[in-house]
Amino acid sequence: MQQENKIFPGRISVIQRKLADLKIHGLIFLNIINIRYLSGFTGSDGVLIICPDRSFLLVDGRYTTQAALEVQNIPVIEYKDKVEGIIQAIKDLGLKHIGFEAVSMSVDMYNQLTQRLDDEVLINIGDDLKFLRAYKDETEITLMKKAAAISSAAIAALIRDIKPGCTERELALQLELHARRAGADQLAFEAIVAAGENSALPHAQPTDRKIKAGDFIVIDFGVKYKGYCSDETCTFAFGQLTDQQKNAYQIVKQAHDDAIAAIRTNVTASTVDHCARSVLGEKYGQYFPHGTGHGVGLEVHEAPRLAPNSQDVLEAQMVVTVEPGLYIPGLWGIRIEDTVLVKENSCEIFTKMDKQLLIIN
Ligand code: ZN
Ligand code: ZN
């Protein structure tokens, strides 16, 4: 708790120091994940207002007690109506140029606010906050390593449950049980357990399809631990594979390994994506329809973005995934994903599963 008392004021002061450069008198946060990051409040709704010398957390009656328990150093104000609460705060504080994140405000709320404001102006500064949570501090890194250890342990435990005739749906349930027993607070996203032709769908949902010989089984899994996400994908083989399947697995593994080897501070995200994509080459490149990776933190998908057209640059303390895939429609798919911490000359892999081809019999 002692440590947390310093973390949140430290994060808020980073924002406060930016206000003058952004030419705004205050900043309204509506994104509940950013509010959690800056204040420690874990509720599902609220407003954080940051001014150069003070901050306020606005919540509705459901969260007044919780916010007072979770948030130190920031006064908590209860509102009956969210728009009213924001207008009242803007007027009381005398804010004129007010920053906000357009991506987190509905058109309806924007219209309501602007109709009620007089000479005050709302200014979208979303682009300037893009990397707000991208650099992880030591506390965050510790929590993310723990989240990764829990989800890897759950995948490892699941291997023993994979039997002929069991369904994707049953395996997804077992996976969640293993993870919750290992200490997961919740899933970071709905688990993907996709076998055979279903593994060719990058975002498949578990079905009643039964596991059978010759299947690839793609398991994309992540948990939340104290708010922080993990993200890992293993592709297992069930029974004997064809030579083409075995060869394709090795190609995706090489793409994964080459991309991981390219990660270091100051490398462009598009370069890392290219390292993976070029291994797939002309033959298989057309079957890799998504980016090579993404940032992970309080959200499972956050900045930066590792993709061909990304302008992002990787820097130390960022945590990103590397997840090349290969999906042959109607037949099978392969994805191999690790979550890594960017370091000065390399990266540290958080996720624990070995990515050599595992054949389960
Ligand atoms: Zn994933
Ligand atoms: Zn991912």
Side-chain angles (χ1 to χ4, degrees):
M1 190 56 83
Q2 190 60 42
Q3 207 177 9
E4 286 185 8
N5 281 341
K6 289 184 193 155
I7 285 172
F8 298 115
R11 290 175 185 169
I12 288 204
S13 65
V14 169
I15 299 285
Q16 288 173 323
R17 286 196 293 272
K18 284 186 176 184
L19 295 179
D21 284 347
L22 294 170
K23 299 188 171 52
I24 51 177
H25 305 123
L27 219 168
I28 295 177
F29 282 95
L30 297 174
N31 177 325
I32 202 66
I33 306 290
N34 284 344
I35 292 173
R36 177 178 186 151
Y37 176 79
L38 292 164
S39 73
F41 173 58
T42 67
S44 68
D45 198 11
V47 182
L48 179 66
I49 300 181
I50 298 182
C51 302
D53 55 350
R54 53 199 162 151
S55 309
F56 300 91
L57 179 65
L58 279 51
V59 296
D60 66 63
R62 295 171 298 167
Y63 288 121
T64 312
T65 305
Q66 180 182 331
L69 288 170
E70 291 179 337
V71 179
Q72 288 92 39
N73 308 314
I74 302 176
V76 175
I77 299 170
E78 183 180 313
Y79 58 73
K80 295 274 181 284
D81 175 88
K82 197 169 181 177
V83 171
E84 286 291 337
I86 295 171
I87 295 286
Q88 188 71 47
I90 287 172
K91 298 287 184 189
D92 288 351
L93 292 163
L95 305 178
K96 295 298 178 201
H97 292 145
I98 306 140
F100 77 108
E101 297 169 282
V103 72
S104 303
M105 186 184 286
S106 68
V107 175
D108 183 52
M109 176 171 276
Y110 181 82
N111 288 341
Q112 286 192 58
L113 286 172
T114 48
Q115 278 164 18
R116 300 284 307 279
L117 293 171
D118 300 310
D119 55 344
E120 299 93 345
V121 188
L122 292 175
I123 301 159
N124 175 27
I125 46 94
D127 283 350
D128 297 283
L129 297 175
K130 187 176 166 191
F131 291 106
L132 172 68
R133 306 192 315 259
Y135 304 94
K136 272 62 180 184
D137 64 30
E138 288 307 314
T139 305
E140 294 179 290
I141 287 168
T142 302
L143 297 176
M144 294 193 73
K145 283 182 176 175
K146 175 75 176 169
I150 291 170
S151 53
S152 296
I155 297 171
L158 186 74
I159 292 170
R160 294 188 293 276
D161 303 327
I162 301 177
K163 302 269 166 36
C166 68
T167 68
E168 296 169 346
R169 204 187 294 267
E170 286 161 357
L171 291 175
L173 177 61
Q174 283 299 329
L175 195 51
E176 180 166 356
L177 287 172
H178 290 307
R180 288 193 182 267
R181 285 196 186 107
D185 294 327
Q186 61 186 101
L187 302 189
F189 53 91
E190 285 298 318
I192 294 173
V193 177
E197 66 284 358
N198 290 345
S199 62
L201 305 168
H203 272 196
Q205 286 187 327
T207 70
D208 290 322
R209 187 195 183 282
K210 292 186 165 86
I211 307 299
K212 57 182 195 237
D215 280 349
F216 272 130
I217 308 170
V218 171
I219 295 169
D220 190 347
F221 189 60
V223 303
K224 281 192 180 183
Y225 180 72
K226 296 189 190 298
Y228 282 86
C229 299
S230 61
D231 192 8
E232 178 169 22
T233 306
C234 293
T235 299
F236 300 129
F238 192 76
Q240 280 311 304
L241 299 179
T242 63
D243 288 344
Q244 188 199 21
Q245 283 175 305
K246 284 184 200 163
N247 182 44
Y249 186 92
Q250 295 312 330
I251 289 170
V252 177
K253 171 78 163 54
Q254 192 65 52
H256 162 275
D257 292 354
D258 283 10
I260 283 191
I263 292 183
R264 65 200 65 227
T265 196
N266 284 332
V267 71
T268 61
S270 60
T271 299
V272 176
D273 180 273
H274 179 74
C275 283
R277 209 165 290 279
S278 60
V279 175
L280 296 180
E282 270 186 36
K283 183 178 174 193
Y284 284 131
Q286 60 180 311
Y287 299 115
F288 177 26
H290 55 76
T292 294
H294 53 85
V296 189
L298 285 169
E299 285 182 292
V300 72
H301 293 123
E302 55 182 49
R305 199 169 58 87
L306 286 69
N309 60 353
S310 174
Q311 302 295 313
D312 299 340
V313 176
L314 300 189
E315 292 182 59
Q317 305 297 109
M318 288 180 170
V319 175
V320 300
T321 69
V322 172
E323 51 181 303
L326 172 50
Y327 314 90
I328 310 294
L331 294 177
W332 43 260
I334 300 160
R335 183 164 61 258
I336 301 174
E337 176 180 30
D338 278 311
T339 297
V340 309
L341 170 67
V342 182
K343 298 199 150 189
E344 198 172 334
N345 293 308
S346 63
C347 67
E348 177 183 347
I349 303 176
F350 284 176
T351 32
K352 300 283 183 212
M353 289 298 292
D354 189 287
K355 298 303 189 295
Q356 295 294 340
L357 179 61
L358 178 69
I359 300 176
I360 302 168
N361 283 300

